[in-house]
Amino acid sequence: MAGPGFTGWVAAAAALAMLVLAAPATAATAVWGWGSGESGVLGAAMGPEVCWGEFRCSTSPLEVPGLSSATSVAAGQEVNLALLEGGTVAAWGSNVSDQLGDRRSWREQAETAAPVKVSGLTGAVAVAAGDSSSMALLANGTVETWGENTEGQLGDGKTTPSVVPVIVKGVTHATAIAAGEGDSLALRSNGTVMAWGSNRLGQLGIGTRHSTRIPRQVKALTGVVAIAGGSEHNLALLANGTVKAWGSNEAGQLGVGRRTGPEPCQPTACAPTPVTVEGLSNVVAIAAGESHSLALLRNGTVMSWGQNDSGQLGDGSTEAAATPVQVEGVTAAVAIAAGSESSMALLEDGRVLTWGGNGEGELGDGAATGPERCEPPTREPCSRTPVEVTGMAGAVSQIAAGGLHDLALTVSSNGPLTKARRSR
């Protein structure tokens, strides 16, 4: 059940088309969380319910207090980030790897359910949360990171953790960021991608499987408009509407029609340089989960591929797919997100749909016992097709998927919201 910080959605905000809500000046925001309550990621001490396996959780959205000025959110494995008005960042959840960034080490503060301010960070315009590290993109095009660094995922040339943000070396003109299990990515304004950190399955895309503490350019990759970070695989959306993938291919998450290559890496197949996902065109956004991938098409439908034992592909089955299949019943999506074993879509009318694993209530439909039971031997609750998240107030403007929990940002105001529109 372990997974990365699945914040590919945050990076995918630079895609060709996305939801834009023009809120009036009197608008206020709220952040909602549901699923596993471990480490305070729901903004509550644990969670009001007991879910599958007797873990505390919430099967319906709970409002995280103190985030009325949030402008975007990112969900990691056990930590969340909120970008606030004015360019500061708040964090809450686990601090076992110093990923809260508030100067207190894990020995001083193991976790917090109340958002805390990331120390010394200003001018942020985007955030991303990984498995054990956190990232912020600054308005000047540089990137700062904090938290675990054993794989060099902070990009500061060291392997020691940091309780405060440090500058990533050599990354300038960045326009988007993404974080994986032990690696990090930055998209540059010239359409190239920089990567650093763990590389045992080629997830850096640099042509080798040697990890690096200093960012290096992903090989043979240009014209990129969005990036997404999974557990041990990554995605890039190109300006022509096609998708490239690299890293682990154990479950077919690279979308190349097989799970046996392109290279015989150890302990599984992988691609140390980007390959083209088969059969995709007119893609406007991407998301990468633990071992599955999503693509939003211009017509509002969603395609998925990779692992499917919990129904996370949403095609009505639990069979893995090495090439993209269509998610059932989704026709007007404007944003997507992928978690450990579940997936999300934000619709044009403001509703949120989820599908996949529901053992910790991560579907947000108010039930922890179904609606189905998926793959043996555990037969954990799941849904092989999309269900609707219920219980949020306000218009949803953004979604984010963590390991076993999800987030949504809603906007409310004294007046009506401007109609959602697609932007290029």
Side-chain angles (χ1 to χ4, degrees), residues 4-337:
F6 301 104
T7 53
W9 150 246
V10 176
L16 296 178
M18 62 181 178
L19 179 70
V20 175
L21 288 176
T26 55
T29 59
V31 176
W32 303 81
W34 62 93
S36 171
E38 188 170 350
S39 301
V41 291
L42 301 183
M46 292 292 287
E49 303 168 61
V50 177
C51 285
W52 183 259
E54 298 185 354
F55 293 107
R56 305 293 297 191
C57 73
S58 180
T59 60
S60 298
L62 300 174
E63 184 176 351
V64 180
L67 296 174
S68 60
S69 65
T71 60
S72 69
V73 290
Q77 174 66 13
E78 292 183 357
V79 71
N80 300 315
L81 303 175
L83 177 64
L84 307 180
E85 290 180 0
T88 59
V89 176
W92 69 102
S94 174
N95 197 40
V96 294
S97 299
D98 300 326
Q99 62 265 57
L100 292 180
D102 70 339
R103 290 191 176 274
R104 289 180 289 183
S105 72
W106 63 271
R107 292 182 179 87
E108 300 170 274
Q109 175 178 263
E111 61 186 52
T112 178
V116 296
K117 190 72 68 72
V118 176
S119 180
L121 189 61
T122 59
V125 295
V127 288
D131 182 66
S132 55
S133 63
S134 303
M135 307 177 68
L137 170 64
L138 304 191
N140 63 7
T142 61
V143 178
E144 297 197 11
T145 55
W146 60 98
E148 181 57 70
N149 199 25
T150 55
E151 302 289 345
Q153 58 263 55
L154 298 190
D156 63 345
K158 304 175 184 178
T159 55
T160 53
S162 180
V163 297
V164 295
V166 296
I167 297 175
V168 176
K169 289 189 174 182
V171 174
T172 58
H173 302 96
T175 60
I177 52 177
E181 184 172 356
D183 64 299
S184 307
L185 303 174
L187 171 63
R188 303 183 70 206
S189 58
N190 63 2
T192 61
V193 177
M194 305 298 288
W196 60 97
S198 177
N199 195 33
R200 72 185 188 97
L201 288 173
Q203 57 264 53
L204 298 187
I206 58 178
T208 72
R209 296 195 297 278
H210 299 297
S211 299
T212 176
R213 295 173 288 180
I214 300 295
R216 294 181 59 183
Q217 186 171 323
V218 177
K219 282 195 170 184
L221 191 62
T222 59
V224 179
V225 295
I227 51 177
S231 177
E232 293 178 318
H233 78 289
N234 296 305
L235 304 175
L237 172 61
L238 306 190
N240 63 7
T242 62
V243 177
K244 296 282 189 176
W246 62 97
S248 173
N249 197 35
E250 182 178 14
Q253 60 264 52
L254 299 186
V256 294
R258 61 188 186 277
R259 300 165 61 177
T260 56
E263 294 193 16
C265 303
Q266 293 296 330
T268 186
C270 79
T273 54
V275 294
T276 301
V277 178
E278 292 186 3
L280 281 182
S281 60
N282 297 312
V283 177
V284 296
I286 50 176
E290 180 175 5
S291 299
H292 72 290
S293 307
L294 303 176
L296 171 62
L297 305 190
R298 189 176 298 279
N299 64 4
T301 60
V302 178
M303 307 297 289
S304 57
W305 61 99
Q307 186 60 268
N308 196 30
D309 54 355
S310 294
Q312 56 264 55
L313 298 189
D315 66 340
S317 77
T318 53
E319 296 181 7
T323 53
V325 296
Q326 186 169 336
V327 177
E328 289 189 6
V330 178
T331 57
V334 293
I336 51 176

